[in-house]
PDB file of all heavy atoms in Angstrom:
ATOM      1  N   TYR A  30      52.208 -58.108  78.287  1.00  0.00           N
ATOM      2  CA  TYR A  30      52.827 -59.102  77.400  1.00  0.00           C
ATOM      3  C   TYR A  30      54.310 -58.762  77.301  1.00  0.00           C
ATOM      4  O   TYR A  30      54.671 -57.582  77.172  1.00  0.00           O
ATOM      5  CB  TYR A  30      52.172 -59.038  76.013  1.00  0.00           C
ATOM      6  CG  TYR A  30      53.133 -59.242  74.859  1.00  0.00           C
ATOM      7  CD1 TYR A  30      53.566 -60.519  74.503  1.00  0.00           C
ATOM      8  CD2 TYR A  30      53.636 -58.158  74.132  1.00  0.00           C
ATOM      9  CE1 TYR A  30      54.469 -60.700  73.468  1.00  0.00           C
ATOM     10  CE2 TYR A  30      54.534 -58.331  73.096  1.00  0.00           C
ATOM     11  CZ  TYR A  30      54.944 -59.604  72.764  1.00  0.00           C
ATOM     12  OH  TYR A  30      55.849 -59.787  71.741  1.00  0.00           O
ATOM     13  N   VAL A  31      55.164 -59.757  77.410  1.00  0.00           N
ATOM     14  CA  VAL A  31      56.601 -59.511  77.218  1.00  0.00           C
ATOM     15  C   VAL A  31      57.263 -60.757  76.648  1.00  0.00           C
ATOM     16  O   VAL A  31      56.826 -61.889  76.907  1.00  0.00           O
ATOM     17  CB  VAL A  31      57.284 -59.065  78.550  1.00  0.00           C
ATOM     18  CG1 VAL A  31      57.305 -60.172  79.591  1.00  0.00           C
ATOM     19  CG2 VAL A  31      58.710 -58.564  78.306  1.00  0.00           C
ATOM     20  N   ILE A  32      58.262 -60.536  75.811  1.00  0.00           N
ATOM     21  CA  ILE A  32      59.142 -61.634  75.393  1.00  0.00           C
ATOM     22  C   ILE A  32      60.564 -61.212  75.747  1.00  0.00           C
ATOM     23  O   ILE A  32      61.004 -60.125  75.385  1.00  0.00           O
ATOM     24  CB  ILE A  32      59.039 -61.943  73.888  1.00  0.00           C
ATOM     25  CG1 ILE A  32      57.660 -62.526  73.549  1.00  0.00           C
ATOM     26  CG2 ILE A  32      60.142 -62.939  73.467  1.00  0.00           C
ATOM     27  CD1 ILE A  32      57.444 -62.853  72.082  1.00  0.00           C
ATOM     28  N   GLN A  33      61.241 -62.074  76.518  1.00  0.00           N
ATOM     29  CA  GLN A  33      62.623 -61.814  76.887  1.00  0.00           C
ATOM     30  C   GLN A  33      63.551 -62.751  76.135  1.00  0.00           C
ATOM     31  O   GLN A  33      63.251 -63.936  75.989  1.00  0.00           O
ATOM     32  CB  GLN A  33      62.806 -61.961  78.414  1.00  0.00           C
ATOM     33  CG  GLN A  33      62.284 -60.738  79.151  1.00  0.00           C
ATOM     34  CD  GLN A  33      61.755 -61.019  80.546  1.00  0.00           C
ATOM     35  OE1 GLN A  33      61.141 -62.045  80.779  1.00  0.00           O
ATOM     36  NE2 GLN A  33      61.973 -60.084  81.457  1.00  0.00           N
ATOM     37  N   GLU A  34      64.637 -62.203  75.622  1.00  0.00           N
ATOM     38  CA  GLU A  34      65.653 -63.024  74.971  1.00  0.00           C
ATOM     39  C   GLU A  34      66.604 -63.475  76.068  1.00  0.00           C
ATOM     40  O   GLU A  34      67.135 -62.646  76.813  1.00  0.00           O
ATOM     41  CB  GLU A  34      66.390 -62.207  73.908  1.00  0.00           C
ATOM     42  CG  GLU A  34      67.348 -63.052  73.107  1.00  0.00           C
ATOM     43  CD  GLU A  34      67.931 -62.310  71.912  1.00  0.00           C
ATOM     44  OE1 GLU A  34      67.630 -61.110  71.715  1.00  0.00           O
ATOM     45  OE2 GLU A  34      68.705 -62.947  71.179  1.00  0.00           O
ATOM     46  N   HIS A  35      66.762 -64.775  76.185  1.00  0.00           N
ATOM     47  CA  HIS A  35      67.524 -65.337  77.298  1.00  0.00           C
ATOM     48  C   HIS A  35      68.711 -66.124  76.746  1.00  0.00           C
ATOM     49  O   HIS A  35      68.537 -67.200  76.181  1.00  0.00           O
ATOM     50  CB  HIS A  35      66.591 -66.224  78.129  1.00  0.00           C
ATOM     51  CG  HIS A  35      67.171 -66.658  79.428  1.00  0.00           C
ATOM     52  ND1 HIS A  35      66.470 -67.410  80.344  1.00  0.00           N
ATOM     53  CD2 HIS A  35      68.393 -66.461  79.982  1.00  0.00           C
ATOM     54  CE1 HIS A  35      67.231 -67.654  81.392  1.00  0.00           C
ATOM     55  NE2 HIS A  35      68.410 -67.092  81.194  1.00  0.00           N
ATOM     56  N   ASN A  36      69.879 -65.525  76.893  1.00  0.00           N
ATOM     57  CA  ASN A  36      71.088 -66.174  76.401  1.00  0.00           C
ATOM     58  C   ASN A  36      71.682 -67.044  77.508  1.00  0.00           C
ATOM     59  O   ASN A  36      72.633 -66.675  78.170  1.00  0.00           O
ATOM     60  CB  ASN A  36      72.066 -65.099  75.912  1.00  0.00           C
ATOM     61  CG  ASN A  36      73.018 -65.645  74.869  1.00  0.00           C
ATOM     62  OD1 ASN A  36      73.000 -66.832  74.545  1.00  0.00           O
ATOM     63  ND2 ASN A  36      73.863 -64.779  74.348  1.00  0.00           N
ATOM     64  N   ALA A  37      71.050 -68.176  77.711  1.00  0.00           N
ATOM     65  CA  ALA A  37      71.469 -69.121  78.757  1.00  0.00           C
ATOM     66  C   ALA A  37      72.226 -70.274  78.090  1.00  0.00           C
ATOM     67  O   ALA A  37      72.680 -70.127  76.970  1.00  0.00           O
ATOM     68  CB  ALA A  37      70.248 -69.620  79.507  1.00  0.00           C
ATOM     69  N   THR A  38      72.333 -71.403  78.755  1.00  0.00           N
ATOM     70  CA  THR A  38      73.004 -72.576  78.183  1.00  0.00           C
ATOM     71  C   THR A  38      72.487 -72.822  76.758  1.00  0.00           C
ATOM     72  O   THR A  38      73.253 -73.050  75.842  1.00  0.00           O
ATOM     73  CB  THR A  38      72.730 -73.835  79.045  1.00  0.00           C
ATOM     74  OG1 THR A  38      72.945 -73.475  80.406  1.00  0.00           O
ATOM     75  CG2 THR A  38      73.640 -74.976  78.675  1.00  0.00           C
ATOM     76  N   HIS A  39      71.159 -72.751  76.626  1.00  0.00           N
ATOM     77  CA  HIS A  39      70.547 -72.794  75.310  1.00  0.00           C
ATOM     78  C   HIS A  39      69.854 -71.460  75.082  1.00  0.00           C
ATOM     79  O   HIS A  39      69.012 -71.059  75.880  1.00  0.00           O
ATOM     80  CB  HIS A  39      69.528 -73.933  75.210  1.00  0.00           C
ATOM     81  CG  HIS A  39      70.149 -75.279  75.408  1.00  0.00           C
ATOM     82  ND1 HIS A  39      70.862 -75.924  74.414  1.00  0.00           N
ATOM     83  CD2 HIS A  39      70.208 -76.087  76.494  1.00  0.00           C
ATOM     84  CE1 HIS A  39      71.321 -77.074  74.880  1.00  0.00           C
ATOM     85  NE2 HIS A  39      70.942 -77.199  76.137  1.00  0.00           N
ATOM     86  N   HIS A  40      70.252 -70.779  74.014  1.00  0.00           N
ATOM     87  CA  HIS A  40      69.639 -69.492  73.693  1.00  0.00           C
ATOM     88  C   HIS A  40      68.156 -69.705  73.377  1.00  0.00           C
ATOM     89  O   HIS A  40      67.792 -70.603  72.619  1.00  0.00           O
ATOM     90  CB  HIS A  40      70.359 -68.892  72.482  1.00  0.00           C
ATOM     91  CG  HIS A  40      69.752 -67.644  71.966  1.00  0.00           C
ATOM     92  ND1 HIS A  40      68.884 -67.640  70.905  1.00  0.00           N
ATOM     93  CD2 HIS A  40      69.863 -66.366  72.376  1.00  0.00           C
ATOM     94  CE1 HIS A  40      68.493 -66.392  70.675  1.00  0.00           C
ATOM     95  NE2 HIS A  40      69.070 -65.607  71.553  1.00  0.00           N
ATOM     96  N   HIS A  41      67.277 -68.918  73.999  1.00  0.00           N
ATOM     97  CA  HIS A  41      65.841 -69.065  73.747  1.00  0.00           C
ATOM     98  C   HIS A  41      65.125 -67.759  74.045  1.00  0.00           C
ATOM     99  O   HIS A  41      65.735 -66.793  74.495  1.00  0.00           O
ATOM    100  CB  HIS A  41      65.266 -70.212  74.605  1.00  0.00           C
ATOM    101  CG  HIS A  41      65.371 -69.963  76.080  1.00  0.00           C
ATOM    102  ND1 HIS A  41      66.494 -70.290  76.806  1.00  0.00           N
ATOM    103  CD2 HIS A  41      64.510 -69.401  76.965  1.00  0.00           C
ATOM    104  CE1 HIS A  41      66.319 -69.944  78.072  1.00  0.00           C
ATOM    105  NE2 HIS A  41      65.115 -69.400  78.195  1.00  0.00           N
TER     106      HIS A  41
END
Side-chain angles (χ1 to χ4, degrees):
Y30 142 79
V31 67
I32 292 179
Q33 282 150 323
E34 186 171 2
H35 191 177
N36 205 357
T38 313
H39 298 282
H40 174 263
H41 63 273

